[in-house]
Amino acid sequence: MEPEISLSCKDLVKTYPGVIAMDHINFELRKGEVHALLGENGAGKSTLIKSIAGAHQCDSGTITIDGKEFHSLTPLQAKEMGVEVVYQEFNQMPSLSVAENIYLTELRGKRIVADQREFERKAAELFKEMNLDLNPKVKVASLTNGYKQMVEIAKAISKPTTKILILDEPTAPLTVDQVDILFRLIHNLKEKGISMIFISHRMPEIFEICDRVTVMRDGKSIQTLNVKDTNREELVSLMVGRKLNENFPPRETEIGDLVLEAKDLCGNGVENISFQIHAGEILGFAGLVGTGRTETLRLVYGADKMDSGEVYMYGKKLHIRSPKQALAHGIALVPEDRKLQGVFLHMSIKANTNISILPKISKGIFVQAHKETENADQYIKSLRIRTPGMMQLAGNLSGGNQQKVALAKALATEAKVLILDEPTRGIDVGAKMEIYQLMRELSAQGMAIIMISSEMDELLGMSDRIVVMSEGRKAGELSKEEFNQERILNMASGE
Ligand SMILES: Nc1ncnc2c1ncn2[C@@H]1O[C@H](COP(=O)(O)OP(=O)(O)OP(=O)(O)O)[C@@H](O)[C@H]1O
Ligand SMILES: [Mg+2]
């Protein structure tokens, strides 16, 4: 029996000035399947799903949903056909409650007070069904990114009319437990005959929950495969168009002298954190999401206020009260939330890569234009930022390429201590390897690198030493000879 097709895209083309985001894409979604979209940063995945949601119009091609053909699809039509999307970037009203955010579309023109209780009751029911421990009354602004994402997911599945559910990198901000909840949900939805498109840069997830996978490259749909008939190696080479060496680049230089020492840092939800880092060393920060890793390093960077504690650099005590002062001392940080803190989306790539180093490339009051250009050019090349040019607005780049701009912006400062918070989140496998290589080169030049990461592979592959955090405290520290996955997990869970 032929499988039932719930969605079919034929020859979709979408261009932006200087960019072909979709170059004759063909894609078919079967009823009740989980279909992965896989491809490098900028391959066109988000563009494809935005087309299916009617969020933007294609230049040409057709989209057929449930047998109905569309040449141009509006958001309303897509919704009426049962298409729901959880986007890569949040789209919420932070000042409203969780319940209000979920049922927001129903708010219009109703008696808000009366409905609110109803929303809360419905949301509570939904969360119970999802096995999610969340109070519908709290403001979305107070939630961690993981919970914000769960709210988006709840919203998408709350509609009884949903037939096609699209998830664009849903797991990127989730904790391990939340990923479990999501995967169980996906199973249940599948049983109900809902068709799903799932985007992720984490290969094991594709093998865990997807039935088929379509690989995209350079705006083209390369191939669709049954997940059980393929493997990681094949998918990676289809994605990047070449064989990829996935080994972590080894350390080739010695670790140098002490650069930075933090003593008994308190505040921002963490207590008595001490650590040291040396020139040319990569220090990993492990621990579950929300155990104070980001909070600790924001204290060092002056982004949040310390209650007590001391930071020394080359033996001298620092008094850092703002990120600006931290930068002046040679401490740079790339935040995990690029959209809020990492990049200026309304500014060009060129402006972003130069903004933190303007004094350095100026003569008198004039910025030396050629230095700006050289600097931007260098990072676009070395990080392989996918863009038609350096004047492109950062906001027009794909998610992963925005992350690369955030990285470039910090790297340009030529910091002595570079703090990277989840540096490869949302980054494709090829670009990940490039970032690891770059980290090795920088550390070989004597830079001290602190890397917060939730990816065990990169922690084990890149760190010289690992600090393990648990519930706002330092649970321990492990050297390269001592650390392995099991020890880190045990320590992180407070054993
Ligand atoms: N509004 C826009 N203006 C100009 N170019 C755009 C715009 N939106 C997307 N692009 C470009 O289209 C291409 C495809 O982007 P898309 O967001 O679909 O990539 P993606 O596969 O989702 O990547 P990622 O894994 O990084 O999220 C990229 O080169 C991107 O820069
Ligand atoms: Mg995307």
Side-chain angles (χ1 to χ4, degrees), residues 187-224:
H187 275 293
N188 294 344
L189 294 170
K190 217 175 117 155
E191 305 266 283
K192 290 186 190 162
I194 292 175
S195 322
M196 284 167 274
I197 300 175
F198 179 84
I199 301 180
S200 174
H201 287 291
R202 300 178 183 164
M203 207 68 76
E205 296 182 347
I206 311 263
F207 288 95
E208 192 175 339
I209 52 155
C210 298
D211 302 301
R212 292 198 300 161
V213 48
T214 292
V215 180
M216 294 179 65
R217 190 169 76 229
D218 295 334
K220 297 187 183 69
S221 37
I222 301 294
Q223 206 173 333
T224 298

Side-chain angles (χ1 to χ4, degrees), residues 90-188:
F90 296 126
N91 193 5
Q92 294 166 324
M93 307 281 213
S95 60
L96 296 184
S97 74
V98 165
E100 286 165 329
N101 264 282
I102 293 179
Y103 298 103
L104 203 61
T105 37
E106 299 172 25
L107 264 179
R108 259 178 263 128
K110 290 196 185 172
R111 287 170 303 136
I112 291 177
V113 185
D115 285 341
Q116 224 155 27
R117 248 176 254 132
E118 175 68 5
F119 292 159
E120 281 163 12
R121 194 189 56 75
K122 283 206 290 193
E125 220 165 76
L126 184 63
F127 294 160
K128 201 165 158 211
E129 213 178 299
M130 290 170 70
N131 235 328
L132 181 69
D133 181 21
L134 180 62
N135 179 354
K137 289 185 192 171
V138 301
K139 297 246 182 304
V140 161
S142 68
L143 299 179
T144 61
N145 282 341
Y147 276 107
K148 281 186 187 149
Q149 181 72 302
M150 291 311 283
V151 171
E152 287 290 278
I153 292 164
K155 183 175 170 184
I157 64 164
S158 69
K159 309 204 174 68
T161 49
T162 302
K163 287 191 186 138
I164 297 175
L165 176 64
I166 304 178
L167 302 160
D168 195 353
E169 290 193 47
T171 57
L174 300 185
T175 63
V176 183
D177 294 347
Q178 290 168 334
V179 171
D180 278 347
I181 293 180
L182 175 63
F183 285 5
R184 245 178 290 139
L185 262 175
I186 291 178
H187 275 293
N188 294 344

Side-chain angles (χ1 to χ4, degrees), residues 16-17 19 21 39-48 50 88 168-169 201 386 392 396-401 426:
Y16 294 108
V19 183
E40 291 185 286
N41 299 130
K45 304 178 296 293
S46 295
T47 306
L48 172 58
K50 282 177 194 160
Q88 192 170 7
D168 195 353
E169 290 193 47
H201 287 291
R386 200 191 175 87
Q392 181 73 295
N396 285 344
L397 297 177
S398 77
N401 281 293

